Amino acid sequence: MADNKTKMTTASVGDYLSSVAPDRRKADALVLDEVFQKATGWQPRMWGESIVGYGSYHYVYDSGREGEFLATGFAPRKAKMVVYIMPGYADFSDILSRLGPHKLGKSCLYLGALNRVDLDILGELIQAGLEDLQRRWPITAT
């Protein structure tokens, strides 16, 4: 079986965040780093070249495929901020209804400008996602 392409690295999160462009996306990325650190209590680690992750978990599927992946995190993309908070198992519609403008992917959330998002609700969503994930796979702090 193929390994995950996205793995934890030793790259500097600070260096990565300072290189994010444009400046408004960099500012939002720095804010998200604070929100994630506050919500998780964990230090960020780079996953691949462009994902900032907090915590990790080891999974083993019924198919036998297994691997390690970030427990939660984000990736500042040009068009939107991609937030990895939902393992895809639970319905977080109540929390999402209070968040502000967003779009959903299978296990990620797409956010535009953070000034339109309730950051306290985002913190609540991060914690709810971690609690849901922890019910299935043990999470390791970073």
Side-chain angles (χ1 to χ4, degrees):
M1 279 184 215
D3 283 343
N4 280 344
K5 293 179 183 177
T6 305
K7 296 181 180 183
M8 189 183 319
T9 73
T10 58
S12 165
V13 172
D15 289 349
Y16 172 70
L17 292 177
S18 24
S19 73
V20 171
D23 286 342
R24 68 176 171 74
R25 186 68 67 215
K26 179 191 311 184
D28 282 353
L30 292 170
V31 168
L32 275 185
D33 180 44
E34 290 178 20
V35 170
F36 274 88
Q37 285 193 50
K38 180 180 177 187
T40 65
W42 302 329
Q43 292 300 306
R45 297 286 307 268
M46 289 301 301
W47 286 76
E49 295 181 5
S50 61
I51 299 175
V52 181
Y54 304 80
S56 65
Y57 69 101
H58 184 83
Y59 60 86
V60 181
Y61 294 140
D62 291 340
S63 66
R65 179 180 170 85
E66 65 180 286
E68 192 86 15
F69 203 64
L70 60 119
T72 189
F74 68 93
R77 306 284 189 229
K78 264 186 197 179
K80 301 271 184 192
M81 191 70 75
V82 181
V83 179
Y84 303 96
I85 48 168
M86 299 169 291
Y89 303 117
D91 176 8
F92 296 115
S93 56
D94 176 57
I95 299 171
L96 289 168
S97 70
R98 298 178 281 127
L99 179 65
H102 66 276
K103 291 187 179 185
L104 288 176
K106 184 174 179 180
S107 62
C108 59
L109 183 71
Y110 298 94
L111 302 175
L114 284 188
N115 63 356
R116 299 181 62 206
V117 171
D118 186 320
L119 298 178
D120 290 332
I121 300 300
L122 181 58
E124 181 183 336
L125 185 59
I126 292 165
Q127 291 172 337
L130 288 172
E131 289 168 10
D132 184 53
L133 180 63
Q134 182 71 42
R135 284 191 279 276
R136 287 161 178 78
W137 312 108
I139 298 174
T140 303
T142 52

Short mmCIF file of all heavy atoms in Angstrom, two decimals, residues 5-13 44-51:
data_model
loop_
_atom_site.label_atom_id
_atom_site.label_comp_id
_atom_site.label_asym_id
_atom_site.label_seq_id
_atom_site.Cartn_x
_atom_site.Cartn_y
_atom_site.Cartn_z
N LYS A 5 1.12 10.87 1.28
CA LYS A 5 2.03 11.86 0.70
C LYS A 5 2.28 13.00 1.68
O LYS A 5 3.34 13.60 1.67
CB LYS A 5 1.45 12.41 -0.60
CG LYS A 5 1.38 11.37 -1.70
CD LYS A 5 0.79 11.96 -2.96
CE LYS A 5 0.68 10.88 -4.01
NZ LYS A 5 0.03 11.35 -5.22
N THR A 6 1.29 13.30 2.50
CA THR A 6 1.42 14.40 3.46
C THR A 6 1.88 13.85 4.79
O THR A 6 1.16 13.11 5.45
CB THR A 6 0.07 15.13 3.63
OG1 THR A 6 -0.39 15.54 2.34
CG2 THR A 6 0.20 16.33 4.53
N LYS A 7 3.11 14.22 5.18
CA LYS A 7 3.70 13.74 6.42
C LYS A 7 4.23 14.92 7.24
O LYS A 7 4.56 15.97 6.69
CB LYS A 7 4.86 12.79 6.12
CG LYS A 7 4.44 11.53 5.42
CD LYS A 7 5.61 10.64 5.17
CE LYS A 7 5.15 9.38 4.46
NZ LYS A 7 6.19 8.43 4.24
N MET A 8 4.34 14.71 8.54
CA MET A 8 4.91 15.72 9.42
C MET A 8 6.38 15.92 9.03
O MET A 8 7.09 14.96 8.75
CB MET A 8 4.81 15.30 10.89
CG MET A 8 5.18 16.40 11.84
SD MET A 8 5.17 15.95 13.62
CE MET A 8 3.75 14.94 13.81
N THR A 9 6.80 17.18 9.02
CA THR A 9 8.18 17.51 8.68
C THR A 9 8.83 18.28 9.82
O THR A 9 8.18 18.61 10.81
CB THR A 9 8.25 18.37 7.40
OG1 THR A 9 7.80 19.70 7.70
CG2 THR A 9 7.41 17.79 6.28
N THR A 10 10.10 18.58 9.65
CA THR A 10 10.82 19.39 10.64
C THR A 10 10.93 20.85 10.20
O THR A 10 11.61 21.63 10.85
CB THR A 10 12.23 18.83 10.87
OG1 THR A 10 12.93 18.82 9.62
CG2 THR A 10 12.16 17.42 11.46
N ALA A 11 10.25 21.21 9.11
CA ALA A 11 10.30 22.59 8.61
C ALA A 11 9.74 23.55 9.66
O ALA A 11 8.88 23.18 10.47
CB ALA A 11 9.52 22.71 7.32
N SER A 12 10.21 24.78 9.64
CA SER A 12 9.80 25.80 10.59
C SER A 12 8.42 26.37 10.24
O SER A 12 8.22 26.91 9.15
CB SER A 12 10.82 26.94 10.60
OG SER A 12 10.29 28.07 11.24
N VAL A 13 7.49 26.26 11.19
CA VAL A 13 6.16 26.83 11.00
C VAL A 13 6.27 28.35 10.91
O VAL A 13 5.64 28.98 10.06
CB VAL A 13 5.21 26.42 12.15
CG1 VAL A 13 3.89 27.17 12.06
CG2 VAL A 13 4.98 24.91 12.13
N PRO A 44 2.29 24.02 16.80
CA PRO A 44 2.10 23.61 15.41
C PRO A 44 3.31 22.89 14.85
O PRO A 44 4.44 23.12 15.29
CB PRO A 44 1.88 24.94 14.68
CG PRO A 44 2.64 25.93 15.49
CD PRO A 44 2.51 25.47 16.91
N ARG A 45 3.06 22.05 13.88
CA ARG A 45 4.10 21.37 13.11
C ARG A 45 3.70 21.45 11.64
O ARG A 45 2.51 21.45 11.32
CB ARG A 45 4.20 19.89 13.50
CG ARG A 45 4.62 19.63 14.94
CD ARG A 45 6.09 19.89 15.21
NE ARG A 45 6.99 19.21 14.32
CZ ARG A 45 7.52 18.03 14.54
NH1 ARG A 45 7.26 17.36 15.65
NH2 ARG A 45 8.35 17.49 13.65
N MET A 46 4.68 21.48 10.78
CA MET A 46 4.39 21.47 9.34
C MET A 46 4.09 20.04 8.89
O MET A 46 4.74 19.09 9.32
CB MET A 46 5.58 22.02 8.54
CG MET A 46 5.80 23.51 8.68
SD MET A 46 4.41 24.54 8.20
CE MET A 46 4.16 24.07 6.49
N TRP A 47 3.10 19.94 8.01
CA TRP A 47 2.74 18.69 7.36
C TRP A 47 2.86 18.94 5.87
O TRP A 47 2.16 19.80 5.32
CB TRP A 47 1.32 18.27 7.73
CG TRP A 47 1.24 17.75 9.12
CD1 TRP A 47 1.26 18.47 10.28
CD2 TRP A 47 1.16 16.38 9.50
NE1 TRP A 47 1.18 17.63 11.35
CE2 TRP A 47 1.11 16.34 10.91
CE3 TRP A 47 1.10 15.19 8.79
CZ2 TRP A 47 1.03 15.15 11.62
CZ3 TRP A 47 1.00 14.00 9.49
CH2 TRP A 47 0.97 13.99 10.89
N GLY A 48 3.77 18.24 5.23
CA GLY A 48 4.05 18.55 3.84
C GLY A 48 4.64 19.95 3.75
O GLY A 48 5.25 20.45 4.69
N GLU A 49 4.42 20.58 2.63
CA GLU A 49 5.00 21.91 2.42
C GLU A 49 4.08 23.05 2.80
O GLU A 49 4.54 24.19 2.92
CB GLU A 49 5.40 22.07 0.95
CG GLU A 49 6.51 21.12 0.55
CD GLU A 49 6.91 21.31 -0.90
OE1 GLU A 49 6.41 22.22 -1.56
OE2 GLU A 49 7.75 20.52 -1.36
N SER A 50 2.77 22.77 3.03
CA SER A 50 1.87 23.91 3.19
C SER A 50 0.73 23.73 4.19
O SER A 50 -0.19 24.53 4.23
CB SER A 50 1.26 24.27 1.83
OG SER A 50 0.52 23.18 1.34
N ILE A 51 0.78 22.69 5.01
CA ILE A 51 -0.26 22.50 6.02
C ILE A 51 0.34 22.67 7.40
O ILE A 51 1.36 22.06 7.73
CB ILE A 51 -0.92 21.11 5.90
CG1 ILE A 51 -1.58 20.94 4.54
CG2 ILE A 51 -1.94 20.91 7.02
CD1 ILE A 51 -2.16 19.56 4.30
#
